Amino acid sequence: MSMLGIKWKLHGTGKNIKPGQVVAPDERLAWPLTVGVGMQHVVAMFGATFLVPIITGMPPATTLFFSGIGTLLFLVITKGRVPSYLGSSFAFIAPITASQAQFGVPGALGGVVLAGTTLALVGAVVQKFGAGWINRLMPPIVTGAIVALIGLNLAPAAKQNFDAAPITALVTLVTIILVSVLFRGILGRLSILVGVVVGYIVAMLRGEVKYDKMDAAAWVGLPHFQTPEFHIGVLGLFVPVVLVLVAENIGHVKSVAAMTGQNLDGVSGRALMADGAATMLAGFGGGSGTTTYAENIGVMAATKVYSTAAYWVAGMFAVLLSFSPKFGELIATVPAGVLGGAATMLYGMIGILGVKIWVQNKVNFSNPINLTTAAVALIIGIADYTWTIGDLKFTGIALGSAAALAIYHGMKAIANARGTVAEPETEQGVLPPAAKAAMKAAAKRAPKKR
């Protein structure tokens, strides 16, 4: 049982958490409380996980099914040491949409399988040799640029949906913005879900919601499964996503380690392999690619409950919900205007997450290597440059990611050989010029000691 990560000891009395304490991954509260926390995790992941299939036209119930199954698989592979929920990754939206236009849904699913396979292989290498080589291959300037360009590359798609119903989209967006600052706790964290619900109500009042498919669907039934097809043309679309998934997984493992006070470096590779396996499984059955969810990390930070027992509850409940076709079709009725308002926030958030990586790691943009890497990669990604070679078509995300890697490592190699770059890659506690000038002026005004 302990090898599967499903052996937990009771935390204290199981009824409360004392100040300064946390419920560790291998602990649990009393089962009624654990079930309640698990349900909260489902609510936290719900809005974001469902938006991906809705935007890409994939079956929502199928995505929910593989999200729940993927979470349970993740817990088993990591032996219950990493509490995390695997929801739909926004990094897959652009490649799935682009590949559907060329190869249909089966071709897109083939790309998801390839991405999952690649991620699992990377995880195996990390588990064997450690994560140091990833940090060298993808330093913060490169990781931040790739994450940012994936989000900003989707801006035209957000505008297209926004223009379909501007009033509904605006109400959705404004609601998301207001809820995030009006409310504390879990409600504030669920601002996107609340915004979608309010926008949906407005869309209903405006006659923008169609219920034909939902009315015809059964209350109970299997999710709609589909099989993949494999085309070499999707490689350039999906491989860059792997870089984002690696960054997300490693970052989330480090976040959980910091919050629980446990060293989880030894299971970083397992986390990558688990997410890769879950993504492969989803691709083989018709679901969206998965990633570890920051929304659920936020729930853990708020509740101080890091028990993997709660995630077993969440995963099983997600699977149960997926067996209602009527529920899935209800989710699929979300109209374009609501998606446009939510996507405006979501895609922008992905872009800003890249900037956050730069800020947190104190990337120094006075260094010409950093500046050039970010500048060129972002423009290629945002403008969606394309390059076609036979059956292969590389779009802005693939070309921008490749540019970030090639420019950074190429310029660094030349600079090291020539000794031409004196600026450090990160800011080592250096004050801005204005602050230095102010301190110097203050020092001159200060009375001299006698």
Side-chain angles (χ1 to χ4, degrees):
M1 300 288 278
S2 60
M3 290 295 291
L4 296 176
I6 54 175
K7 186 177 181 180
W8 304 279
K9 56 186 177 183
L10 195 65
H11 177 86
T13 62
K15 297 181 180 179
N16 53 57
I17 307 170
K18 295 181 180 179
Q21 292 186 347
V22 300
V23 180
D26 61 346
E27 297 179 326
R28 66 169 177 83
L29 295 173
W31 279 116
L33 293 175
T34 297
V35 170
V37 175
M39 297 284 287
Q40 188 168 314
H41 279 301
V42 173
V43 174
M45 68 82 189
F46 196 83
T49 288
F50 266 114
L51 275 179
V52 175
I54 291 171
I55 291 171
T56 58
M58 309 288 278
T62 310
T63 294
L64 184 61
F65 174 82
F66 283 108
S67 172
I69 291 293
T71 297
L72 301 181
L73 182 62
F74 182 93
L75 295 171
V76 170
I77 293 177
T78 59
K79 297 183 178 180
R81 293 190 60 193
V82 185
S84 195
Y85 190 91
L86 295 189
S88 302
S89 170
F90 291 111
F92 280 96
I93 294 176
I96 286 178
T97 303
S99 56
Q100 281 180 343
Q102 288 184 274
F103 307 107
V105 173
L109 293 175
V112 172
V113 172
L114 291 173
T117 304
T118 306
L119 180 61
L121 291 174
V122 171
V125 175
V126 170
Q127 192 65 25
K128 178 69 175 178
F129 300 104
W133 66 276
I134 289 181
N135 296 328
R136 291 190 293 272
L137 176 66
M138 294 192 307
I141 179 61
V142 173
T143 305
I146 293 173
V147 173
L149 69 85
I150 284 180
L152 300 178
N153 174 269
L154 294 166
K159 182 179 183 298
Q160 183 179 1
N161 281 326
F162 200 102
D163 289 344
I167 294 177
T168 301
L170 184 61
V171 170
T172 303
L173 179 59
V174 171
T175 301
I176 293 172
I177 294 171
L178 291 178
V179 169
S180 65
V181 292
L182 283 175
F183 301 101
R184 298 176 180 174
I186 187 64
L187 188 59
R189 294 182 183 277
L190 297 177
S191 59
I192 293 175
L193 179 60
V194 175
V196 168
V197 171
V198 172
Y200 188 89
I201 294 172
V202 171
M204 287 176 57
L205 297 175
R206 294 176 58 81
E208 297 169 358
V209 184
K210 307 297 181 184
Y211 292 104
D212 299 343
K213 291 184 178 179
M214 189 197 78
D215 292 338
W219 280 103
V220 179
L222 289 173
H224 177 62
F225 297 114
Q226 302 176 81
T227 55
E229 293 178 359
F230 298 96
H231 302 273
I232 193 171
V234 304
L235 283 174
L237 296 170
F238 283 89
V239 170
V241 174
V242 176
L243 303 178
V244 178
L245 297 179
V246 169
E248 287 180 338
N249 275 274
I250 296 295
H252 289 170
V253 169
K254 289 181 178 178
S255 297
V256 173
M259 291 188 291
T260 60
Q262 298 183 358
N263 186 348
L264 298 177
D265 290 346
V267 290
S268 293
R270 283 183 170 273
L272 293 173
M273 287 190 289
D275 190 10
T279 296
M280 287 171 57
L281 187 63
F284 275 117
S288 301
T290 62
T291 188
T292 50
Y293 253 32
E295 287 87 343
N296 297 92
I297 290 178
V299 171
M300 290 190 291
T303 61
K304 306 302 180 186
V305 178
Y306 301 92
S307 172
T308 54
Y311 281 101
W312 275 92
V313 172
M316 289 188 286
F317 188 68
V319 171
L320 286 176
L321 275 179
S322 71
F323 284 97
S324 175
K326 191 175 287 291
F327 176 75
E329 291 296 340
L330 172 63
I331 299 301
T333 61
V334 176
V338 176
L339 296 179
T344 299
M345 171 67 78
L346 284 171
Y347 298 164
M349 285 173 62
I350 298 172
I352 297 303
L353 280 176
V355 178
K356 182 181 178 182
I357 291 173
W358 293 335
V359 173
Q360 287 181 332
N361 291 278
K362 298 181 179 180
V363 173
N364 180 16
F365 284 100
S366 295
N367 183 306
I369 297 176
N370 289 343
L371 184 63
T372 305
T373 298
V376 176
L378 286 179
I379 290 300
I380 291 175
I382 295 170
D384 201 23
Y385 285 29
T386 57
W387 183 25
T388 303
I389 309 174
D391 293 333
L392 282 173
K393 183 178 182 181
F394 299 95
T395 60
I397 291 178
L399 294 177
S401 301
L405 287 164
I407 291 172
Y408 173 80
H409 290 290
M411 290 185 69
K412 187 174 181 180
I414 295 172
N416 288 340
R418 298 285 297 168
T420 53
V421 176
E423 292 285 346
E425 291 190 33
T426 58
E427 296 176 351
Q428 306 296 330
V430 178
L431 290 173
K436 286 184 178 179
M439 291 180 66
K440 187 179 290 186
K444 287 181 179 179
R445 291 193 300 271
K448 294 182 180 180
K449 293 183 179 179
R450 297 181 182 273

